[in-house]
Amino acid sequence: TRFLTNIAPLALLLMISLMVGDWFVAGNAARELLQEQMANAAKIAAEGVPYFLESGQSLIKDLASDPKLYTTRGDELAQVVEYKMRSVPYFRQLYLLDSQGDLLVGYPDNDYQSAMTPQEEQAGVQLALNGIDVQSYTAPPVEGENAAQVSFIASVHDQSGMIQGVLIGRTDLATNPATAPILNSLTELVGEDGEGLLLDDYGRILYHSDPSLVMTNYTGLIADQAVFYDATAPDGTRDLVYYQPAAGRPWGIVLTIPARRAQELAIQ
């Protein structure tokens, strides 16, 4: 009886130590597993950004090289722009401006109003008229959508090299075929209780499950390299956050999941 009485506290202490140790080891393993999964998903999304931007710039430059854009006018010019729009399932809208920056024709509609476009795009049009061949800018989303638009701008040159106008192609991240892998990587891992964000070079949110937050400034950590850290959610709980800069581009990927997932995985 004395032996059992003396050994019981030690046995209890050993059991508690073993349980705490198991929980600590399992928790670290679960956290490392989630970090690896988030890193893989963020890397896939980040690798898709340069492809999307380079494809858009290449396509708008090729479309702007057609002599018909400055040798035809009226209905024939409208047909040329319509054909280009249908032949390249990349852009959502095409606008052709003259050498003064005024609209000549647009497809599928002529709703382009230079005064209502973002200031960056207005500046881009002026740069294109001054000789900058290809540019890209982010723009607010279509009302009700949860992904921003991207405008690709190219100068229209004649055979002598003179600038005859500007071609603008707009696409949105939600429907563009080149961004489908990016958005899938942002949404599949985080699930309904997490967040997957795409940021532009100004730190603005280009994609978010909440449309009201698109084109607002991201307030979390932005770094020059991949980083994994803990953050406090708006409701006071703890989140796991992974930030991944895009390859060769000043865009970024942010994945956020509740920290309780690591605890649930550790219990399993």
Side-chain angles (χ1 to χ4, degrees), residues 126-206:
Q126 295 304 315
L127 290 174
L129 293 174
N130 290 330
I132 304 299
D133 285 341
V134 183
Q135 308 160 71
S136 62
Y137 299 93
T138 55
V142 176
E143 185 177 356
E145 295 188 355
N146 60 351
Q149 300 182 93
V150 179
S151 298
F152 295 92
I153 304 175
S155 302
V156 179
H157 298 267
D158 60 19
Q159 295 180 350
S160 65
M162 296 293 294
I163 297 177
Q164 299 296 326
V166 177
L167 184 64
I168 302 174
R170 284 183 184 167
T171 185
D172 64 284
L173 299 170
T175 61
N176 188 284
T179 57
I182 300 176
L183 301 190
N184 288 339
S185 298
L186 294 179
T187 56
E188 287 182 355
L189 176 65
V190 299
E192 296 181 356
D193 57 350
E195 293 181 346
L197 311 180
L198 177 62
L199 311 180
D200 68 3
D201 47 347
Y202 293 100
R204 293 175 300 198
I205 299 174
L206 301 182

Coordinates of all heavy atoms in Angstrom, one line a residue, residues 126-206:
Q126 N -2.1 57.5 -72.1 CA -1.2 58.5 -72.5 C 0.2 58.0 -72.8 O 0.9 58.4 -73.7 CB -1.2 59.6 -71.4 CG -2.5 60.3 -71.2 CD -3.0 61.0 -72.5 OE1 -2.3 61.6 -73.2 NE2 -4.3 60.8 -72.8
L127 N 0.6 57.1 -71.9 CA 1.9 56.5 -72.2 C 2.0 55.7 -73.5 O 3.0 55.7 -74.2 CB 2.3 55.5 -71.0 CG 2.6 56.2 -69.6 CD1 2.7 55.1 -68.6 CD2 3.8 57.1 -69.7
A128 N 0.9 55.0 -73.8 CA 0.8 54.3 -75.1 C 0.9 55.2 -76.2 O 1.5 55.0 -77.3 CB -0.5 53.4 -75.1
L129 N 0.2 56.4 -76.1 CA 0.3 57.4 -77.2 C 1.7 58.0 -77.3 O 2.0 58.5 -78.4 CB -0.8 58.5 -76.9 CG -2.2 58.0 -77.0 CD1 -3.2 59.2 -76.6 CD2 -2.6 57.6 -78.5
N130 N 2.4 57.9 -76.2 CA 3.8 58.5 -76.2 C 4.8 57.4 -76.6 O 6.0 57.7 -76.5 CB 4.1 59.1 -74.9 CG 3.3 60.4 -74.6 OD1 3.0 61.1 -75.6 ND2 3.0 60.6 -73.4
G131 N 4.4 56.2 -76.9 CA 5.4 55.2 -77.4 C 5.6 54.0 -76.5 O 6.4 53.2 -76.9
I132 N 5.0 53.9 -75.4 CA 5.1 52.7 -74.6 C 4.2 51.6 -75.2 O 3.0 51.7 -75.2 CB 4.7 52.9 -73.1 CG1 5.5 54.1 -72.5 CG2 4.9 51.6 -72.3 CD1 7.0 53.9 -72.5
D133 N 4.8 50.5 -75.7 CA 4.1 49.6 -76.5 C 3.1 48.8 -75.8 O 1.9 48.7 -76.2 CB 5.1 48.6 -77.2 CG 5.9 49.3 -78.4 OD1 5.4 50.3 -78.9 OD2 6.9 48.8 -78.7
V134 N 3.4 48.2 -74.7 CA 2.5 47.3 -74.0 C 2.5 47.5 -72.5 O 3.6 47.7 -71.9 CB 2.9 45.8 -74.2 CG1 1.9 44.9 -73.5 CG2 3.0 45.5 -75.7
Q135 N 1.4 47.6 -71.8 CA 1.2 47.8 -70.4 C 0.0 47.0 -69.9 O -0.8 46.5 -70.7 CB 1.0 49.3 -70.1 CG 1.9 50.3 -70.7 CD 1.4 51.6 -70.8 OE1 1.2 52.3 -69.8 NE2 1.0 52.1 -72.0
S136 N 0.0 46.9 -68.6 CA -1.2 46.2 -67.9 C -1.5 46.9 -66.6 O -0.5 47.3 -65.9 CB -0.9 44.7 -67.7 OG 0.2 44.5 -66.9
Y137 N -2.8 47.0 -66.3 CA -3.2 47.7 -65.1 C -4.4 46.9 -64.5 O -5.2 46.3 -65.3 CB -3.6 49.1 -65.4 CG -2.5 50.0 -65.9 CD1 -2.3 50.1 -67.3 CD2 -1.6 50.6 -65.0 CE1 -1.3 50.9 -67.8 CE2 -0.6 51.4 -65.5 CZ -0.4 51.6 -66.9 OH 0.6 52.3 -67.4
T138 N -4.5 47.0 -63.2 CA -5.7 46.4 -62.6 C -6.8 47.4 -62.5 O -6.6 48.6 -62.4 CB -5.4 45.9 -61.2 OG1 -4.8 46.9 -60.4 CG2 -4.4 44.7 -61.2
A139 N -8.1 46.9 -62.6 CA -9.2 47.8 -62.5 C -10.3 47.2 -61.7 O -10.3 45.9 -61.4 CB -9.8 48.0 -64.0
P140 N -11.3 48.0 -61.1 CA -12.3 47.5 -60.3 C -13.1 46.4 -61.0 O -13.2 46.4 -62.2 CB -13.2 48.7 -60.0 CG -12.2 49.8 -60.1 CD -11.3 49.5 -61.3
P141 N -13.8 45.5 -60.3 CA -14.5 44.4 -60.9 C -15.9 44.9 -61.4 O -16.3 46.0 -61.1 CB -14.7 43.4 -59.7 CG -14.8 44.3 -58.5 CD -13.8 45.4 -58.8
V142 N -16.4 44.1 -62.2 CA -17.8 44.3 -62.7 C -18.7 44.2 -61.4 O -18.4 43.3 -60.5 CB -18.2 43.3 -63.7 CG1 -19.7 43.5 -64.1 CG2 -17.3 43.5 -65.0
E143 N -19.7 45.0 -61.3 CA -20.6 45.0 -60.1 C -21.1 43.6 -59.8 O -21.6 42.9 -60.6 CB -21.7 46.0 -60.3 CG -22.6 46.2 -59.1 CD -23.7 47.2 -59.3 OE1 -23.7 47.8 -60.4 OE2 -24.5 47.4 -58.4
G144 N -20.9 43.2 -58.5 CA -21.4 42.0 -58.0 C -20.4 40.8 -58.1 O -20.6 39.8 -57.6
E145 N -19.3 41.0 -58.8 CA -18.3 40.0 -59.0 C -17.2 40.1 -57.9 O -16.9 41.2 -57.4 CB -17.7 40.0 -60.4 CG -18.7 39.7 -61.5 CD -18.0 39.5 -62.8 OE1 -16.8 39.7 -62.9 OE2 -18.7 39.2 -63.8
N146 N -16.5 39.0 -57.6 CA -15.6 38.9 -56.5 C -14.1 38.9 -57.0 O -13.2 38.5 -56.3 CB -15.8 37.7 -55.6 CG -15.7 36.4 -56.3 OD1 -15.6 36.4 -57.5 ND2 -15.7 35.3 -55.6
A147 N -13.9 39.3 -58.3 CA -12.6 39.3 -58.8 C -12.4 40.6 -59.7 O -13.3 41.0 -60.4 CB -12.3 38.1 -59.7
A148 N -11.3 41.2 -59.6 CA -11.0 42.4 -60.3 C -10.8 42.2 -61.8 O -10.7 41.0 -62.3 CB -9.8 43.1 -59.7
Q149 N -10.7 43.3 -62.6 CA -10.4 43.2 -64.0 C -9.0 43.6 -64.2 O -8.4 44.3 -63.3 CB -11.3 44.1 -64.8 CG -12.8 43.8 -64.7 CD -13.6 44.7 -65.5 OE1 -14.0 44.4 -66.7 NE2 -14.0 45.9 -65.0
V150 N -8.4 43.2 -65.3 CA -7.1 43.6 -65.7 C -7.2 44.2 -67.1 O -7.7 43.6 -68.0 CB -6.1 42.5 -65.7 CG1 -4.7 42.9 -66.1 CG2 -6.0 41.9 -64.3
S151 N -6.6 45.4 -67.3 CA -6.6 46.1 -68.6 C -5.2 45.9 -69.2 O -4.2 46.2 -68.6 CB -7.0 47.5 -68.5 OG -8.3 47.7 -68.0
F152 N -5.2 45.4 -70.5 CA -4.0 45.4 -71.2 C -4.0 46.4 -72.3 O -5.0 46.5 -73.1 CB -3.8 44.0 -71.8 CG -3.6 42.9 -70.8 CD1 -4.7 42.2 -70.3 CD2 -2.4 42.6 -70.3 CE1 -4.6 41.2 -69.4 CE2 -2.2 41.6 -69.4 CZ -3.3 40.9 -68.9
I153 N -3.0 47.2 -72.4 CA -3.0 48.4 -73.3 C -1.8 48.2 -74.3 O -0.7 48.0 -73.9 CB -2.9 49.7 -72.5 CG1 -4.0 49.8 -71.5 CG2 -2.9 50.9 -73.5 CD1 -3.9 51.0 -70.6
A154 N -2.1 48.4 -75.6 CA -1.0 48.4 -76.6 C -1.1 49.5 -77.6 O -2.3 49.9 -77.9 CB -1.1 47.0 -77.4
S155 N 0.0 50.1 -78.0 CA 0.0 51.1 -79.0 C -0.3 50.5 -80.4 O 0.2 49.4 -80.7 CB 1.3 51.8 -79.0 OG 1.6 52.4 -77.8
V156 N -1.0 51.2 -81.3 CA -1.2 50.8 -82.6 C -0.3 51.7 -83.5 O -0.5 52.9 -83.6 CB -2.7 51.0 -83.0 CG1 -2.9 50.6 -84.5 CG2 -3.6 50.2 -82.1
H157 N 0.6 51.0 -84.2 CA 1.6 51.7 -85.0 C 1.3 51.4 -86.5 O 0.8 50.3 -86.9 CB 3.0 51.2 -84.7 CG 3.5 51.4 -83.3 ND1 4.2 52.6 -83.0 CD2 3.4 50.7 -82.2 CE1 4.5 52.5 -81.7 NE2 4.0 51.4 -81.2
D158 N 1.6 52.4 -87.3 CA 1.5 52.2 -88.8 C 2.8 51.6 -89.3 O 3.8 51.4 -88.5 CB 1.0 53.4 -89.5 CG 2.0 54.6 -89.3 OD1 3.2 54.3 -88.9 OD2 1.6 55.7 -89.5
Q159 N 3.0 51.5 -90.6 CA 4.2 50.9 -91.1 C 5.4 51.8 -90.9 O 6.5 51.3 -90.9 CB 4.0 50.6 -92.6 CG 2.9 49.5 -92.9 CD 2.7 49.2 -94.4 OE1 3.2 49.9 -95.2 NE2 2.0 48.2 -94.7
S160 N 5.2 53.0 -90.8 CA 6.3 54.0 -90.6 C 6.7 54.1 -89.1 O 7.6 54.8 -88.8 CB 5.9 55.4 -91.2 OG 4.8 55.9 -90.4
G161 N 5.9 53.5 -88.2 CA 6.2 53.5 -86.8 C 5.4 54.6 -86.1 O 5.6 54.7 -84.9
M162 N 4.6 55.4 -86.8 CA 3.8 56.4 -86.2 C 2.7 55.8 -85.4 O 2.1 54.8 -85.8 CB 3.3 57.4 -87.2 CG 4.4 58.2 -87.9 SD 5.2 59.3 -86.8 CE 3.9 60.4 -86.4
I163 N 2.3 56.4 -84.2 CA 1.2 55.8 -83.4 C -0.1 56.4 -84.0 O -0.3 57.6 -84.0 CB 1.4 56.2 -82.0 CG1 2.7 55.6 -81.4 CG2 0.2 55.8 -81.1 CD1 3.1 56.0 -80.0
Q164 N -1.0 55.4 -84.3 CA -2.3 55.8 -84.9 C -3.4 55.6 -83.9 O -4.5 56.0 -84.1 CB -2.5 54.9 -86.1 CG -1.5 55.1 -87.2 CD -1.6 56.5 -87.8 OE1 -2.6 57.2 -87.8 NE2 -0.4 57.0 -88.2
G165 N -3.1 55.0 -82.7 CA -4.2 54.8 -81.8 C -3.7 53.9 -80.6 O -2.6 53.5 -80.5
V166 N -4.7 53.4 -79.8 CA -4.4 52.6 -78.7 C -5.5 51.5 -78.6 O -6.7 51.8 -78.8 CB -4.5 53.4 -77.4 CG1 -4.3 52.5 -76.2 CG2 -3.4 54.5 -77.4
L167 N -5.1 50.3 -78.4 CA -6.0 49.2 -78.3 C -6.0 48.7 -76.8 O -5.0 48.4 -76.2 CB -5.6 48.0 -79.2 CG -6.6 46.8 -79.2 CD1 -8.0 47.2 -79.7 CD2 -6.0 45.6 -80.0
I168 N -7.2 48.6 -76.2 CA -7.4 48.2 -74.8 C -8.2 46.9 -74.7 O -9.2 46.8 -75.3 CB -8.1 49.3 -74.0 CG1 -7.3 50.6 -74.1 CG2 -8.2 48.9 -72.5 CD1 -8.0 51.8 -73.4
G169 N -7.6 46.0 -74.1 CA -8.3 44.7 -73.9 C -8.5 44.5 -72.4 O -7.5 44.5 -71.6
R170 N -9.7 44.3 -72.0 CA -10.0 44.0 -70.5 C -10.5 42.6 -70.4 O -11.2 42.0 -71.1 CB -11.1 45.0 -70.1 CG -10.7 46.4 -69.8 CD -11.8 47.2 -69.3 NE -11.5 48.6 -69.1 CZ -12.4 49.6 -68.9 NH1 -13.7 49.3 -68.8 NH2 -12.0 50.8 -68.7
T171 N -10.0 42.0 -69.3 CA -10.4 40.7 -68.9 C -10.6 40.7 -67.4 O -10.1 41.5 -66.7 CB -9.4 39.6 -69.3 OG1 -9.9 38.3 -69.0 CG2 -8.1 39.8 -68.5
D172 N -11.4 39.7 -66.9 CA -11.6 39.6 -65.5 C -11.1 38.3 -65.0 O -11.1 37.3 -65.7 CB -13.1 39.8 -65.1 CG -13.9 38.6 -65.7 OD1 -14.2 38.6 -66.9 OD2 -14.3 37.7 -64.9
L173 N -10.6 38.3 -63.8 CA -9.9 37.1 -63.2 C -10.8 36.0 -63.0 O -10.4 34.8 -62.9 CB -9.2 37.5 -61.9 CG -8.1 38.6 -62.0 CD1 -7.7 39.0 -60.6 CD2 -6.9 38.1 -62.8
A174 N -12.1 36.3 -62.9 CA -13.1 35.2 -62.5 C -13.4 34.3 -63.7 O -13.7 33.1 -63.5 CB -14.4 35.9 -62.1
T175 N -13.3 34.8 -64.9 CA -13.7 34.0 -66.1 C -12.5 33.8 -67.1 O -12.7 33.0 -68.0 CB -14.8 34.7 -66.9 OG1 -14.3 36.0 -67.4 CG2 -16.0 34.9 -66.0
N176 N -11.4 34.4 -66.9 CA -10.3 34.2 -67.8 C -9.7 32.8 -67.7 O -9.5 32.3 -66.6 CB -9.2 35.2 -67.5 CG -8.1 35.2 -68.6 OD1 -7.3 34.3 -68.6 ND2 -8.1 36.2 -69.4
P177 N -9.5 32.1 -68.8 CA -9.0 30.7 -68.8 C -7.7 30.6 -68.1 O -7.3 29.5 -67.6 CB -9.0 30.3 -70.2 CG -9.0 31.5 -71.0 CD -9.7 32.5 -70.2
A178 N -6.8 31.6 -68.3 CA -5.5 31.5 -67.7 C -5.4 31.7 -66.2 O -4.4 31.3 -65.6 CB -4.6 32.6 -68.4
T179 N -6.5 32.2 -65.6 CA -6.5 32.4 -64.2 C -7.3 31.3 -63.4 O -7.3 31.3 -62.2 CB -7.1 33.8 -63.8 OG1 -8.5 33.8 -64.3 CG2 -6.3 34.9 -64.4
A180 N -7.9 30.4 -64.2 CA -8.6 29.3 -63.5 C -7.7 28.5 -62.5 O -8.1 28.2 -61.4 CB -9.2 28.4 -64.5
P181 N -6.5 28.1 -62.9 CA -5.6 27.4 -62.0 C -5.3 28.2 -60.7 O -5.1 27.7 -59.6 CB -4.4 27.0 -62.8 CG -4.8 27.1 -64.2 CD -5.8 28.2 -64.2
I182 N -5.1 29.5 -60.9 CA -4.8 30.4 -59.8 C -5.9 30.4 -58.8 O -5.7 30.2 -57.6 CB -4.5 31.8 -60.3 CG1 -3.3 31.8 -61.3 CG2 -4.2 32.8 -59.1 CD1 -3.0 33.2 -61.9
L183 N -7.1 30.7 -59.3 CA -8.3 30.8 -58.3 C -8.6 29.4 -57.7 O -9.0 29.4 -56.5 CB -9.5 31.3 -59.1 CG -9.3 32.7 -59.7 CD1 -10.7 33.2 -60.2 CD2 -8.7 33.7 -58.7
N184 N -8.4 28.3 -58.5 CA -8.6 27.0 -57.9 C -7.7 26.8 -56.7 O -8.1 26.2 -55.7 CB -8.5 25.9 -58.9 CG -9.6 25.9 -59.9 OD1 -10.7 26.4 -59.7 ND2 -9.4 25.4 -61.1
S185 N -6.4 27.2 -56.9 CA -5.5 27.0 -55.8 C -5.8 27.8 -54.6 O -5.5 27.4 -53.5 CB -4.1 27.3 -56.3 OG -3.7 26.5 -57.4
L186 N -6.4 29.0 -54.8 CA -6.8 29.9 -53.7 C -8.0 29.4 -52.9 O -8.1 29.7 -51.8 CB -7.1 31.3 -54.3 CG -5.9 32.0 -54.9 CD1 -6.4 33.4 -55.4 CD2 -4.8 32.2 -53.9
T187 N -8.9 28.6 -53.6 CA -10.1 28.3 -52.9 C -10.2 26.8 -52.4 O -10.8 26.5 -51.4 CB -11.3 28.5 -53.9 OG1 -11.0 27.7 -55.1 CG2 -11.4 29.9 -54.3
E188 N -9.5 25.9 -53.1 CA -9.6 24.5 -52.7 C -9.1 24.2 -51.4 O -9.7 23.5 -50.6 CB -8.9 23.6 -53.8 CG -9.6 23.5 -55.1 CD -8.9 22.6 -56.1 OE1 -7.8 22.1 -55.8 OE2 -9.4 22.4 -57.2
L189 N -7.9 24.7 -51.0 CA -7.3 24.4 -49.7 C -8.0 25.1 -48.6 O -8.2 24.6 -47.5 CB -5.8 24.8 -49.8 CG -5.1 24.6 -48.5 CD1 -5.0 23.1 -48.1 CD2 -3.6 25.2 -48.6
V190 N -8.3 26.4 -48.7 CA -8.8 27.2 -47.6 C -10.2 26.8 -47.2 O -10.5 27.0 -46.0 CB -8.7 28.7 -47.9 CG1 -7.3 29.1 -48.2 CG2 -9.6 29.1 -49.1
G191 N -11.0 26.4 -48.1 CA -12.3 25.9 -47.7 C -13.2 27.1 -47.4 O -12.9 28.3 -47.7
E192 N -14.4 26.8 -46.8 CA -15.3 27.9 -46.5 C -14.9 28.8 -45.3 O -15.4 29.9 -45.2 CB -16.7 27.2 -46.2 CG -17.3 26.5 -47.4 CD -18.7 25.9 -47.1 OE1 -19.1 26.0 -45.9 OE2 -19.3 25.4 -48.0
D193 N -14.1 28.2 -44.4 CA -13.7 29.0 -43.2 C -12.4 29.7 -43.4 O -11.9 30.4 -42.4 CB -13.7 28.1 -42.0 CG -12.8 27.0 -42.1 OD1 -12.3 26.7 -43.3 OD2 -12.5 26.3 -41.1
G194 N -11.7 29.6 -44.5 CA -10.5 30.3 -44.8 C -10.6 31.3 -45.9 O -11.7 31.6 -46.4
E195 N -9.5 31.9 -46.2 CA -9.5 33.0 -47.3 C -8.3 32.7 -48.2 O -7.2 32.4 -47.8 CB -9.4 34.4 -46.6 CG -10.6 34.8 -45.9 CD -10.4 36.2 -45.3 OE1 -9.3 36.7 -45.3 OE2 -11.4 36.8 -44.8
G196 N -8.5 32.9 -49.5 CA -7.5 32.9 -50.5 C -7.5 34.3 -51.2 O -8.5 34.6 -51.8
L197 N -6.4 35.0 -51.2 CA -6.4 36.3 -51.8 C -5.3 36.4 -52.9 O -4.2 35.8 -52.8 CB -6.1 37.4 -50.7 CG -6.9 37.4 -49.4 CD1 -6.4 38.5 -48.5 CD2 -8.4 37.5 -49.7
L198 N -5.6 37.2 -53.9 CA -4.6 37.6 -54.9 C -4.4 39.1 -54.8 O -5.3 39.9 -54.8 CB -5.1 37.2 -56.3 CG -4.2 37.6 -57.5 CD1 -2.9 36.9 -57.4 CD2 -4.9 37.2 -58.8
L199 N -3.1 39.5 -54.7 CA -2.8 40.9 -54.5 C -2.0 41.4 -55.7 O -1.3 40.7 -56.4 CB -1.9 41.1 -53.3 CG -2.4 40.5 -52.0 CD1 -1.4 40.8 -50.9 CD2 -3.8 41.0 -51.6
D200 N -2.2 42.7 -56.1 CA -1.5 43.3 -57.2 C -0.2 44.0 -56.6 O 0.1 43.8 -55.5 CB -2.4 44.3 -58.0 CG -2.7 45.5 -57.2 OD1 -2.3 45.7 -56.0 OD2 -3.5 46.4 -57.7
D201 N 0.5 44.7 -57.5 CA 1.8 45.3 -57.1 C 1.6 46.4 -56.1 O 2.6 46.9 -55.6 CB 2.5 45.7 -58.4 CG 1.7 46.5 -59.3 OD1 0.4 46.5 -59.2 OD2 2.2 47.1 -60.2
Y202 N 0.4 46.9 -55.9 CA 0.1 48.0 -54.9 C -0.4 47.4 -53.6 O -0.8 48.2 -52.7 CB -0.8 49.0 -55.5 CG -0.3 49.8 -56.6 CD1 -0.6 49.5 -57.9 CD2 0.6 50.9 -56.4 CE1 -0.1 50.2 -59.0 CE2 1.2 51.6 -57.5 CZ 0.8 51.3 -58.8 OH 1.3 52.0 -59.8
G203 N -0.5 46.1 -53.5 CA -1.0 45.5 -52.3 C -2.6 45.5 -52.2 O -3.1 45.3 -51.2
R204 N -3.2 45.7 -53.4 CA -4.7 45.7 -53.4 C -5.2 44.3 -53.6 O -4.6 43.5 -54.4 CB -5.2 46.7 -54.5 CG -4.9 48.1 -54.2 CD -5.3 49.0 -55.3 NE -4.6 48.7 -56.6 CZ -4.5 49.5 -57.6 NH1 -5.1 50.7 -57.6 NH2 -3.8 49.2 -58.7
I205 N -6.3 44.0 -53.0 CA -6.9 42.7 -53.2 C -7.6 42.6 -54.5 O -8.6 43.3 -54.8 CB -7.9 42.4 -52.0 CG1 -7.2 42.5 -50.7 CG2 -8.6 41.1 -52.2 CD1 -8.1 42.4 -49.5
L206 N -7.2 41.6 -55.3 CA -7.8 41.4 -56.7 C -8.9 40.3 -56.6 O -9.7 40.3 -57.5 CB -6.7 41.1 -57.7 CG -5.6 42.1 -57.9 CD1 -4.7 41.7 -59.0 CD2 -6.2 43.5 -58.2

